[in-house]
Amino acid sequence: MSSPGEPVCYQLRVAGHLDEHWSVWFDAMSLVHEADGTTSLCGSVADQSALYGLLAKVRDLGATLISVEVVDTTP
């Protein structure tokens, strides 16, 4: 696991295919449309506070959150 204060790469999966323009709203995370009809948002997250902010954006968008996963501890 990373040391406190180090960014961590996360993958958030949501139901449906989000338009690419949402990448900016999600702090420039990359959006990937998966074949199963979901969208993966991947990117570096500075800390737990920033992660909670991203989760709040998913909620505010009304998207169904499927999973949150650490994909790499070195951005």
Side-chain angles (χ1 to χ4, degrees):
M1 199 61 151
S2 66
S3 301
E6 288 184 27
V8 176
C9 289
Y10 281 92
Q11 178 184 42
L12 285 68
R13 287 187 58 231
V14 297
H17 284 165
L18 299 180
D19 287 333
E20 195 63 38
H21 76 274
W22 287 109
S23 175
V24 174
W25 199 56
F26 283 106
D27 300 329
M29 294 187 87
S30 64
L31 273 63
V32 177
H33 294 159
E34 305 292 349
D36 64 359
T38 63
T39 299
S40 292
L41 296 92
C42 299
S44 181
V45 178
D47 54 26
Q48 288 293 298
S49 179
L51 176 61
Y52 289 129
L54 289 170
L55 295 173
K57 288 180 179 186
V58 170
R59 179 203 61 214
D60 294 348
L61 183 60
T64 300
L65 180 65
I66 297 171
S67 66
V68 177
E69 182 178 356
V70 174
V71 293
D72 190 357
T73 57
T74 56

